[in-house]
Amino acid sequence: MGISDKTKLIIIPSGKPKIWDKFPDLGPVKASEAYTGTFHHLSKAYAEQFAESYLILSPKYGFLRPDDVVAGTYDVRFTMKGTSENTIQLAELKQMWQELQINPTEQIPMLGGKKFRGLLSSITDNKQTFDFPLTGSSGIGVMQQKLKQVIETGIPLNSTK
């Protein structure tokens, strides 16, 4: 797989376990170091191997580049029932997406579950095509197994809309 074969961009979810769970007095850190869960680590490893760059989708901060700074821990989730007071608002996510200036004809892989499908469609007003290569996995354990396998073999996940 040559450099030119890499996907331009992959979106990965942030995850609940964070570095402050182990180091509560640690100050702000780069987004690439903030999230410590197994699924996040596997997603990040996949993105680093198969994409030119990646974004972390956080329910508090929205789209984070790996070098963006996360101030400290938080416990916020994206839910189907709307947003809680600390969850980033849809209008803000839409604004962030526009500022990223991603080519609307580019298909963007998202390494996450089906809950992200509707969210990303709403953020982009269905003007961006997303690929969910982990679709069909029966749970996070299966998703983690798939990611481990493709990282080891060097063969990227198949496209699945």
Side-chain angles (χ1 to χ4, degrees):
M1 175 170 217
I3 299 266
S4 61
D5 296 337
K6 285 190 170 190
T7 298
K8 280 189 180 176
L9 176 72
I10 290 178
I11 300 172
I12 65 175
S14 56
K16 182 172 169 47
K18 296 171 189 65
I19 196 163
W20 300 279
D21 297 339
K22 289 183 182 164
F23 305 102
D25 298 329
L26 193 64
V29 299
K30 289 180 180 179
S32 62
E33 301 165 7
Y35 307 99
T36 59
T38 302
F39 185 74
H40 176 80
H41 271 292
L42 289 168
S43 296
K44 184 172 101 170
Y46 180 90
E48 288 171 344
Q49 185 171 343
F50 296 109
E52 293 173 18
S53 64
Y54 66 94
L55 293 171
I56 301 165
L57 181 52
S58 156
K60 182 170 176 84
Y61 296 106
F63 295 102
L64 294 167
R65 290 184 175 93
D67 288 339
D68 288 343
V69 173
V70 178
T73 196
Y74 61 91
D75 186 9
V76 180
R77 290 176 188 77
F78 287 119
T79 66
M80 296 299 192
K81 298 173 189 144
T83 57
S84 69
E85 64 183 66
N86 293 323
T87 303
I88 190 166
Q89 299 301 302
L90 184 58
E92 196 174 345
L93 284 165
K94 285 182 176 194
Q95 179 67 34
M96 289 177 98
W97 187 259
Q98 288 170 355
E99 289 170 6
L100 289 166
Q101 296 185 330
I102 293 164
N103 180 345
T105 63
E106 190 179 328
Q107 184 173 354
I108 310 292
M110 168 64 193
L111 298 181
K114 58 187 171 195
K115 71 177 178 183
F116 291 104
R117 191 179 296 266
L119 178 65
L120 290 170
S121 291
S122 296
I123 290 169
T124 63
D125 295 320
N126 288 315
K127 292 186 175 115
Q128 188 83 42
T129 305
F130 293 95
D131 175 35
F132 294 85
L134 294 171
T135 293
S137 302
S138 57
I140 195 158
V142 174
M143 289 180 181
Q144 289 176 176
Q145 283 178 325
K146 284 182 180 180
L147 288 171
K148 277 182 192 168
Q149 185 178 10
V150 297
I151 290 164
E152 288 169 9
T153 63
I155 301 167
L157 292 162
N158 291 327
S159 266
T160 312
K161 293 181 187 172

